Amino acid sequence: METEKFITIDDETISLRQALGYLRTSGDLQQFIMKILRQHVIEEELQSQADLEIDASLLEQAIINFRLQNQLVQSDRFDQWLQSQSLTYGTFRNQFAAGLKIEEIKNKVTAEQLEDYFQKNQQAFEQVVLSRIVVEQYDKAVELKAQLEQAGASFEALAKEHSIAGERAYNGMMGAILFSQLPPAIRDAISKAQPGDIVGPLELEGRYSLLRLEQRIPATLEGQLKRQLQEQLFEQWWQSKLQNKNVKLQVE
């Protein structure tokens, strides 16, 4: 194994053992192994579904889309790119077909869980539009809230006059934010709030905030969110396939 050629640089040979040693030293070995295990699980699943076929027209359209996106429409540029990647067209086409098959597998193994997972976590995926007023003193925040609720003061005017946050230039408007990305204190405070409600003062990083919920933007299971959840569930799926299996690195 020590003399097995894995990579050569001019006349110097790097064996597989050496290469793995380099990865261990750089801290990349675990990630490298996980990629191998991931692909192994996928290949096993593909073999178990040998009847899985990709429509030829779908494959050709995917290749066309790839060439358009990467400005490889002209034949000579595409040929140069293939050469730069050490690929023949046949190998390139086979890789694309394999990628489409993996997408089919991904759709199949996540289909049952996807809708259920989305429904159980729907609030985390929604977006909220918030405005805020941020001040240094708690008493000042209480005073401003009283002006808003009892004196009918304008939130926008108070934000522009008193807020120390950057959004003061936009009358306090923060824009749309993914609910799950908000600090826990804000999530708790607005979880049951309705558009127009003012919550706070909330202490965040030594400052005090008044928040107005402007809008809730419901999440829908489509587009980028759907792809992200599929990827997340797919990662859980292939890792579950390795549970209770003894995985051992044979090259030490």
Side-chain angles (χ1 to χ4, degrees), residues 10-146:
D10 292 333
D11 295 328
E12 184 180 358
T13 296
I14 299 176
S15 69
L16 178 59
R17 186 188 298 274
Q18 284 177 290
L20 293 177
Y22 293 160
L23 289 171
R24 181 182 286 110
T25 300
S26 67
D28 296 321
L29 182 59
Q30 183 68 23
Q31 183 180 8
F32 177 75
I33 291 172
M34 294 304 289
K35 285 183 177 181
I36 293 173
L37 295 175
R38 182 182 190 274
Q39 191 62 33
H40 175 72
V41 171
I42 291 172
E43 292 294 338
E44 284 191 330
E45 188 67 23
L46 288 171
Q47 290 175 16
S48 72
Q49 300 191 33
D51 59 340
L52 181 62
E53 294 292 337
I54 299 299
D55 183 87
S57 62
L58 182 64
L59 174 57
E60 293 305 322
Q61 186 60 53
I63 292 175
I64 289 171
N65 292 341
F66 173 84
R67 292 179 64 174
L68 287 170
Q69 292 168 4
N70 292 276
Q71 300 181 344
L72 298 171
V73 177
Q74 296 180 349
S75 296
D76 56 344
R77 294 193 65 177
F78 185 45
D79 289 342
Q80 290 174 4
W81 180 84
L82 288 173
Q83 290 178 12
S84 71
Q85 302 298 311
S86 300
L87 294 172
T88 65
Y89 179 75
T91 303
F92 168 79
R93 193 175 188 278
N94 289 339
Q95 287 181 353
F96 245 87
L100 292 177
K101 285 184 178 181
I102 291 172
E103 287 302 311
E104 285 295 314
I105 295 293
K106 191 179 298 182
N107 290 335
K108 286 185 177 182
V109 301
T110 63
E112 292 185 4
Q113 297 173 281
L114 190 59
E115 183 66 34
D116 182 60
Y117 185 83
F118 173 74
Q119 292 297 335
K120 289 180 179 178
N121 299 277
Q122 191 166 359
Q123 186 181 48
F125 304 132
E126 77 174 8
Q127 295 184 81
V128 291
V129 179
L130 298 173
S131 293
R132 70 174 177 173
I133 299 172
V134 182
V135 294
E136 296 279 5
Q137 296 83 25
Y138 174 78
D139 290 346
K140 182 67 173 180
V142 172
E143 176 191 335
L144 293 176
K145 187 173 185 180

